[in-house]
Amino acid sequence: MPPLVRPVRPTDTLTRDALAVLQPGFTGTTAPDWLLRRLDEGLTTVGLFGRNVANPGQLAALTGRLRREREDVLVAVDEEGGDVTRLEVRGGSSFPGNHALGAVDDPALTRAVARELGRRLAECGITLNWAPSADVNSNPDNPVIGVRSFGADPHLVARHTAAYVEGLQSAGVAACTKHFPGHGDTAVDSHLDLPRIAADLATLQERELVPFRAAVAAGTRAVMSAHILLPALDGDRPATLSPAALHGLLRAPAAEGGLGFDGLIVTDGMEMQAIAATYGIERGSVLALAAGADAICVGGGLADEDIVLRLRDALVTAVRDGELPEERLADAAERVRALARWTRDAGAGEGAAPAPGIGLTAARRALRRTAGGQPYAPLTAAAYVAAFTPLANIAVGDETPWGVAAELARLLPGTDTGTYSADAAAAAGAPALVEDLLTAAAGRRIVAVVRDVHRHPWMADALAALLAARPGTAVVEMGVPQAPPRGALHLATHGAARVCGRAAAEALTGRL
């Protein structure tokens, strides 16, 4: 008797399903022909990045063109507000990030901010937001989460994650809560390497998973997996590729210790080195689908037709070779299409009343002021801003401006700034760096701007040398305010969004 051959669906059906689970990007501010063709062939999601955004009108025209090709297309973006912005990538965000909202700790405010952000996304034709970050920033040395987290307390993070999901989705934009099961307790950036979290399962349940349970209860439509290794769950594979993490924990019912999530599971960017350098993108994508992921996020770094065809063909081949069950691919594709239908039927943005000033209101409320030993009088004349600038992490990018100089110059014309980096400090040493800084300041009052000074010894040394020379200097911390406050006036903004800079400038000049 010949061996039983398991039926495999026609190539066209497999190809449509393989395209449906991909979330690719592209370059330019108009949709390329190859992308439009793939939408006709089954592609269901398009990811947008800062490189695709010039202004709201252009963005609306772009998404409108995609929607003419496929009415229910999911248009996704990584718009956290705060430090991570794509809508306002060249000017800085009108919304403070999660850490500022957590510092205020008013869930109604977080809900209102997320609703207005969702309204603006919907107005531009965006229907899926790869946000919010539900990570508990329990490791203060975390190089990639930091102010993207609501805070270090799991229950605070949980209530704000839920409020954010509710606000965003009330505007008809699907939330994608990330980075499951929690990227907060890492000292490694998964863009660059594979982080490992040594916490036991009890700790994960009591810390990392608390915000994700709240997000699921709030109805988050999607969850994004993290490229992190958690031996308590799986000693071999990172969460994105782990059946134990995705199927056994995220999907499992609450009665079995799981989260009971039935929405869309999206991977973090598969071109990140935690996956690409270890498994390769094609192999990693097959393993992710087999583990329980439904959508493959790719396109932040690889953004052309070739990567789409490579991944499409890898998935089809994996089904035909028996590595990926065809039912699993079909289920994943249907979950993507179901979310696309939800966003189409939700009427994104309809009925969401504009709240244009809510971001600045939140940034002002998040500002924390500490008076130092020296008397501090508000600035009344042009000042000199010394920006101690760390290397930007990849999630934030280095094209988005940050700081207080632009906002302070708007209030005090003639204010200018100098940028001081780790390389400059290493080459010259802190005393020489500060001597150059004082020369540039030319007798003007100085505002020192730092970002996560507790993580950067060179920055702490340079700040100490500056304060020794100019005790009346004001200090603005725009990262996580972990280090003790220093300066004649210390302002903690809890983030580096444009509105955070404006709130700080108002405080420095006595207007707030």
Side-chain angles (χ1 to χ4, degrees):
M1 178 181 292
L4 292 175
V5 178
R6 193 177 181 196
V8 175
R9 291 169 299 153
T11 299
D12 181 62
T13 304
L14 287 176
T15 299
R16 295 190 74 84
D17 284 353
L19 284 170
V21 303
L22 302 181
Q23 297 192 338
F26 63 95
T27 57
T29 54
T30 58
D33 289 342
W34 69 262
L35 184 67
L36 299 175
R37 286 197 308 273
R38 301 306 166 195
L39 285 171
D40 187 55
E41 295 171 6
L43 185 68
T44 308
T45 309
V46 175
L48 300 182
F49 298 85
R51 61 176 179 253
N52 306 122
V53 179
N55 56 65
Q58 165 270 327
L59 187 53
L62 168 60
T63 59
R65 180 66 188 92
L66 297 173
R67 204 149 274 119
R68 287 198 300 277
E69 202 66 38
R70 183 184 180 108
E71 181 191 15
D72 65 347
V73 63
L74 280 168
V75 183
V77 74
D78 189 7
E79 180 58 56
E80 299 176 14
D83 291 28
V84 180
T85 179
R86 310 306 178 211
L87 285 186
E88 301 178 276
V89 65
R90 290 168 189 84
S93 182
S94 301
F95 302 92
N98 286 1
H99 207 56
L101 296 172
V104 179
D105 196 13
D106 178 354
L109 177 66
T110 296
R111 192 175 296 107
V113 167
R115 182 175 174 84
E116 173 62 11
L117 178 58
R119 188 193 65 80
R120 294 195 196 180
L121 290 171
E123 199 171 54
C124 295
I126 293 166
T127 51
L128 171 61
N129 192 9
W130 292 316
S133 289
D135 307 292
V136 179
N137 199 54
S138 55
N139 185 343
D141 290 327
N142 196 313
V144 69
I145 302 300
V147 294
R148 300 168 67 197
S149 167
F150 289 111
D153 177 79
H155 298 286
L156 178 145
V157 176
R159 59 181 171 266
H160 288 279
T161 297
Y164 194 107
V165 167
E166 292 164 357
L168 190 65
Q169 294 188 167
S170 71
V173 175
C176 183
T177 305
K178 61 189 183 185
H179 306 81
F180 181 84
H183 207 312
D185 189 21
T186 62
V188 172
D189 183 347
S190 54
H191 290 89
L192 307 175
D193 206 345
L194 178 61
R196 176 189 176 98
I197 292 181
D200 58 25
L201 189 56
T203 300
L204 294 177
Q205 293 282 3
E206 295 168 4
R207 187 178 64 189
E208 273 75 13
L209 296 181
V210 172
F212 288 97
R213 291 186 190 280
V216 172
T220 186
R221 293 282 164 177
V223 169
M224 178 176 283
S225 67
H227 306 328
I228 53 177
L229 189 68
L230 298 103
L233 290 175
D234 189 324
D236 298 320
R237 291 183 177 175
T240 293
L241 312 183
S242 170
L246 300 186
H247 181 74
L249 183 59
L250 184 52
R251 289 273 190 237
E256 299 175 13
L259 275 66
F261 177 63
D262 195 40
L264 189 76
I265 300 178
V266 182
T267 72
D268 206 345
M270 296 300 283
E271 67 268 46
M272 293 164 63
Q273 291 302 297
I275 299 296
T278 308
Y279 297 89
I281 295 172
E282 291 96 329
R283 176 72 177 152
S285 296
V286 170
L287 291 174
L289 264 289
D294 304 307
I296 303 297
C297 180
V298 66
L302 298 172
D304 56 23
E305 185 176 23
D306 178 65
I307 189 62
V308 173
L309 298 180
R310 281 166 53 194
L311 294 182
R312 178 200 68 183
D313 293 346
L315 296 175
V316 170
T317 299
V319 170
R320 294 202 168 276
D321 290 349
E323 288 187 87
L324 177 64
E326 60 180 294
E327 297 87 351
R328 174 78 273 274
L329 178 61
D331 170 64
E334 178 50 34
R335 288 180 185 276
V336 174
R337 295 178 189 125
L339 182 59
R341 290 192 296 271
W342 179 84
T343 61
R344 180 193 61 195
D345 298 341
E350 294 178 9
I358 192 69
L360 181 57
T361 296
R364 287 167 172 161
R365 289 182 63 185
L367 194 71
R368 297 293 179 267
R369 178 198 309 251
T370 305
Q374 296 288 325
Y376 182 83
L379 297 174
T380 57
Y384 184 76
V385 178
F388 295 101
T389 305
L391 184 67
N393 77 58
I394 294 173
V396 174
D398 58 7
E399 68 264 72
T400 303
W402 69 282
V404 303
E407 293 297 328
L408 196 56
R410 187 175 59 82
L411 299 177
L412 299 175
T415 294
D416 60 11
T417 186
T419 299
Y420 303 90
S421 66
D423 289 344
L433 183 149
V434 169
E435 186 176 337
D436 290 345
L437 188 162
L438 293 174
T439 300
R444 288 171 291 180
R445 293 178 66 184
I446 297 173
V447 177
V449 181
V450 295
R451 201 167 177 176
D452 291 343
V453 70
H454 68 281
R455 292 200 303 112
H456 302 288
W458 71 268
M459 193 184 295
D461 291 345
L463 181 62
L466 172 59
L467 291 175
R470 286 281 196 93
T473 294
V475 177
V476 182
E477 168 63 85
M478 304 195 82
V480 177
Q482 187 77 19
R486 305 190 67 182
L489 173 68
H490 184 276
L491 299 175
T493 62
H494 300 89
R498 175 173 53 82
V499 287
C500 296
R502 180 171 173 181
E506 291 172 344
L508 290 165
T509 56
R511 290 165 168 80
L512 184 63

